[in-house]
């Protein structure tokens, strides 16, 4: 069975969420997962359109300043920060280290044409 890049990204995040299950209540975990899954098609479309980029800190950055994009980025970043903090508590790493490791994974798995950020903060299209 072939898995799309989008599905793979959700799967990686879900594995991270499962790993921190004892830290987050099951209800909270399900809500975060559901929100991230629901938002994924909009995120992918915005990335392909060049409206959103992936930062070197495992977060999103709006490259187009519209209320819809701003809300999408803020919502996803909030959930990502929750996941990163929970993984950090579980593993003993810092949330920043978890986020930076995730940023490297995202960059490696991103499709061509997606905006990404180098470690020095400069932007490039994959």
């Amino acid at each position: 069975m072939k898995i799309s890049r989008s599905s793979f990204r959700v799967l990686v995040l879900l594995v991270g969420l499962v790993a921190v299950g004892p830290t987050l209540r099951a209800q909270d975990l399900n809500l975060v997962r559901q929100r991230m899954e629901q938002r994924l098609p909009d995120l992918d479309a915005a990335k392909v359109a060049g409206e959103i980029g992936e930062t070197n800190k495992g977060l999103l950055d709006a490259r187009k300043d519209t209320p819809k994009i701003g809300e999408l980025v803020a919502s996803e970043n909030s959930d990502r920060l929750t996941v990163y903090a929970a993984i950090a508590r579980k593993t003993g790493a810092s949330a920043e280290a978890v986020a930076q490791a995730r940023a490297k994974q995202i960059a490696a798995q991103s499709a061509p044409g997606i905006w990404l950020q180098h470690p020095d903060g400069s932007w490039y299209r994959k």
Side-chain angles (χ1 to χ4, degrees), residues 9 43-44 46-50 52-54 63 106 109-117 123-126:
R9 286 186 305 180
L43 287 176
D44 285 342
K47 286 181 189 181
V48 169
I52 292 175
E54 290 281 355
R63 299 190 52 80
I106 291 169
Q109 296 165 359
S110 288
I114 302 301
W115 283 100
L116 302 168
Q117 193 177 42
W123 288 92
Y124 69 100
R125 272 195 131 144
K126 184 169 180 182

Side-chain angles (χ1 to χ4, degrees), residues 27-94:
Q27 182 180 8
D28 295 337
L29 183 66
N30 284 332
L31 290 173
V32 169
R33 179 185 54 79
Q34 288 172 2
R35 287 192 306 258
M36 293 178 89
E37 284 178 349
Q38 288 173 351
R39 153 178 347 110
L40 189 59
D42 291 336
L43 287 176
D44 285 342
K47 286 181 189 181
V48 169
E51 299 170 328
I52 292 175
E54 290 281 355
T55 73
N56 60 10
K57 296 179 180 167
L59 300 173
L60 296 173
D61 188 52
R63 299 190 52 80
K64 181 178 180 183
D65 190 19
T66 68
K68 180 183 176 186
I69 294 298
E71 182 180 323
L72 189 61
V73 166
S75 297
E76 179 69 11
N77 283 346
S78 176
D79 283 343
R80 286 186 185 189
L81 289 171
T82 299
V83 172
Y84 299 156
I87 293 170
R89 284 191 299 272
K90 177 75 173 180
T91 63
S94 70

